[in-house]
Amino acid sequence: MPLSPDNPARPARAPRIKSAIEPRPVLPSPLGHPAYSQTMPCTPESARRARLLVSAACTAWGLPGIADAAALVVSELIGNSVRHSGSLLVRVLVSLPEPGRVRVAVVDKSRTRPTPRATDDSAEDGRGLVVIDALADRWGTDLRRWGKSVWVELCAKSEDER
């Protein structure tokens, strides 16, 4: 084991390299509201990790009633990035812009806006944005110089709406 340069009696520790795919703690986002984010490979396997992140955030914020819908939405967003963006990595962001409202976003390097496609009942894909539109309170795309963020906002239903 190599020795520490400042203290030869103590073994040197390898520097800890923080992985880009480690979950980040709950911190205020730049807008001041709680948020989680995680960067992951742009592969179908990342949908599971994204669902876990979104479900954990919804549960932590006391919104387990929208966790399933938010998990389905993030799966569809990841699937769209995998199929259409050509990116190596995606970033998943989950935030609480106001009480009872969760915002889920997937960021990739493509600048192509997603557009809903007409599908027939026999098509196995192409329904992602239709599902998102049915579940979301609102959704959209923010173009960046280097790519885009596709976001979806979901609202918890009040007791009267259930």
Side-chain angles (χ1 to χ4, degrees):
M1 184 177 265
L3 297 179
S4 174
D6 57 331
N7 184 353
R10 189 173 68 197
R13 288 187 285 170
R16 184 172 186 277
I17 299 172
K18 186 167 180 150
S19 167
I21 58 175
E22 286 183 12
R24 300 204 184 234
V26 178
L27 297 172
S29 70
L31 299 175
H33 44 77
Y36 291 90
S37 68
Q38 192 171 10
T39 300
M40 51 192 74
C42 189
T43 62
E45 295 78 21
S46 291
R48 179 179 182 278
R49 290 176 51 196
R51 286 191 302 271
L52 292 171
L53 178 69
V54 167
S55 295
C58 290
T59 300
W61 294 327
L63 298 168
I66 60 174
D68 289 341
L72 178 57
V73 161
V74 80
S75 289
E76 294 297 338
L77 293 176
I78 292 284
N80 284 348
S81 282
V82 168
R83 282 188 291 282
H84 305 294
S85 76
S87 297
L88 296 176
L89 298 171
V90 293
R91 183 157 194 87
V92 177
L93 300 118
V94 190
S95 61
L96 189 67
E98 61 188 54
R101 179 181 295 271
V102 173
R103 185 177 196 151
V104 177
V106 173
V107 180
D108 62 38
K109 297 285 184 173
S110 171
R111 288 188 42 85
T112 304
R113 288 182 183 266
T115 54
R117 298 188 317 194
T119 62
D120 59 34
D121 290 336
S122 64
E124 290 190 23
D125 65 353
R127 295 187 185 142
L129 292 178
V130 174
V131 170
I132 287 170
D133 199 43
L135 293 173
D137 183 47
R138 61 186 181 187
W139 69 276
T141 305
D142 296 333
L143 290 180
R144 308 281 188 235
R145 186 172 33 94
W146 42 263
K148 71 176 175 306
S149 171
V150 181
W151 54 267
V152 177
E153 289 188 358
L154 303 159
C155 291
K157 304 278 189 248
S158 68
E159 292 297 319
D160 298 337
E161 297 173 300
R162 289 182 187 160

